[in-house]
């Protein structure tokens, strides 16, 4: 069967070049979205020479109906496979995730500590405070989908997020129901973490970051607040700051100096 991808939704893979190719960076997008949302990150790191993989999660980048047939386990399985493929050709792997992608790579770090050297989490979703979530277990059988989550971007006139305009509730519910288990797994995350949080996020509440800090097992965690961005910080006002902090973090784990990575 031929799968028709939305224009711009393609996955990305670069083998890297030179010494930096010994470091792999896995970059994972969010729910209803595509690698296009995290393109600024993977394009920047690939241009610097790192080996980079940005997979397209199952059910994404094609149609809402495709997403409705997938669940959290499908998405995590795809992340595990992409990480194993990338890790086989590098000395160390840094995992980066936005929103759902942040949750997925955090679980990857907890379950496969031998694979992951460090995490960059951009507005990761570990919980939510919307009271409507209490009825989600029943609502998913009555209402197939709700309005989508995409394009929480404050910057006008920039790139729009390629994302579905509907959120399939059974697929979403599989993620929400996994949150308690995921929160327990955070105690097994001992790698260095850079958490980038948008001050104006309308999708993931601040409480999600608080839960992460309360549960994470790592003693090497740094939070950076992005003061002018919405949820899709990679396409918003603070994108340059986000990229700078990410570059510096990857360089640090690769044994480079900040001066070296800024020179490219």
């Amino acid at each position: 069967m031929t799968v028709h991808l939305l224009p711009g939704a393609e996955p990305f893979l670069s083998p890297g070049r030179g010494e930096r190719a010994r470091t792999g960076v896995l970059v994972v997008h969010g729910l209803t979205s595509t690698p296009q949302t995290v393109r600024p990150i993977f394009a920047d790191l690939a241009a610097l020479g790192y080996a980079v993989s940005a997979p397209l999660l199952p059910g994404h980048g094609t149609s809402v109906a495709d997403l409705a047939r997938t669940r959290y386990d499908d998405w995590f399985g795809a992340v595990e496979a992409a990480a194993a493929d990338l890790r086989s050709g590098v000395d160390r792997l840094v995992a980066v995730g936005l929103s759902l992608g942040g949750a997925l790579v955090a679980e990857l770090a907890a379950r496969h500590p031998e694979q992951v050297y460090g995490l960059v989490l951009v507005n990761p979703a570990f919980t939510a405070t919307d009271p409507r979530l209490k009825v989600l277990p029943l609502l998913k059988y009555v209402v197939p989908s709700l309005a989508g989550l995409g394009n929480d971007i404050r910057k006008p006139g920039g790139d729009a997020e390629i994302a579905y305009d509907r959120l399939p509730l059974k697929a979403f519910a599989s993620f929400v129901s996994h949150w308690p288990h995921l929160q327990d797994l955070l105690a097994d995350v001992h790698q260095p973490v850079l958490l980038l949080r948008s001050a104006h996020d309308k999708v993931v509440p601040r409480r999600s970051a608080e839960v992460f800090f309360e549960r994470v097992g790592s003693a090497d965690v740094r939070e950076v607040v992005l003061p002018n961005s919405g949820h899709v910080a990679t396409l918003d006002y603070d994108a340059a700051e986000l990229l700078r902090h990410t570059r510096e973090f990857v360089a640090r784990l690769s044994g480079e100096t900040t001066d070296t990575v800024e020179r490219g």
Side-chain angles (χ1 to χ4, degrees):
M1 182 179 66
T2 302
V3 176
H4 297 284
L5 291 182
L6 298 173
E10 300 82 6
F12 178 84
L13 184 65
S14 173
R17 66 181 188 278
E19 282 297 306
R20 286 184 179 147
R22 298 171 63 184
T23 297
V25 186
L26 179 70
V27 188
V28 183
H29 65 82
L31 186 61
T32 77
S33 191
T34 73
Q36 174 261 352
T37 308
V38 290
R39 181 179 296 146
I41 297 175
F42 68 67
D44 186 62
L45 295 174
L48 289 169
Y50 298 105
V52 179
S53 173
L56 178 65
L57 297 177
H60 292 75
T62 53
S63 69
V64 175
D66 286 342
L67 181 57
R69 289 188 287 267
T70 64
R71 300 293 183 266
Y72 182 87
D73 288 346
D74 299 312
W75 312 327
F76 183 67
V79 169
E80 280 187 307
D85 286 346
L86 184 58
R87 186 67 177 86
S88 67
V90 299
D91 295 340
R92 64 194 70 84
L93 185 146
V94 181
V96 182
L98 168 63
S99 195
L100 164 66
L104 290 167
V105 298
E107 179 157 351
L108 180 74
R111 292 189 179 277
H112 302 286
E114 76 288 351
Q115 285 193 359
V116 181
Y117 268 53
L119 293 173
V120 179
L121 307 178
V122 183
N123 297 320
F126 299 110
T127 191
T129 54
D130 191 326
R132 294 175 296 179
L133 292 178
K134 294 179 180 179
V135 301
L136 185 58
L138 294 177
L139 187 64
K140 67 182 181 181
Y141 294 110
V142 180
V143 180
S145 66
L146 294 177
L149 303 171
N151 281 292
D152 181 22
I153 302 170
R154 302 180 76 220
K155 182 180 179 179
D159 290 337
E161 180 183 14
I162 299 175
Y164 297 144
D165 59 1
R166 304 296 296 177
L167 174 65
L169 290 192
K170 288 184 179 179
F172 179 50
S174 74
F175 181 32
V176 172
S177 65
H178 190 69
W179 279 341
H181 181 57
L182 180 57
Q183 291 169 14
D184 289 341
L185 283 175
L186 291 177
D188 296 324
V189 174
H190 297 286
Q191 297 91 334
V193 180
L194 170 65
L195 191 150
L196 298 154
R197 179 176 63 82
S198 295
H200 300 278
D201 194 332
K202 296 179 181 178
V203 177
V204 173
R206 182 175 180 173
R207 179 59 186 155
S208 183
E210 292 172 348
V211 167
F212 177 80
F213 286 115
E214 291 166 3
R215 300 293 189 93
V216 70
S218 177
D220 184 355
V221 182
R222 181 188 177 207
E223 180 183 36
V224 174
V225 177
L226 304 171
N228 298 310
S229 294
H231 183 64
V232 191
T234 49
L235 303 178
D236 217 328
Y237 284 116
D238 300 304
E241 270 300 282
L242 182 154
L243 295 180
R244 180 177 68 81
H245 285 292
T246 301
R247 283 195 302 267
E248 291 176 356
F249 183 79
V250 173
R252 170 196 153 197
L253 294 188
S254 300
E256 301 178 61
T257 64
T258 300
D259 178 63
T260 300
V261 76
E262 288 296 340
R263 290 202 309 268

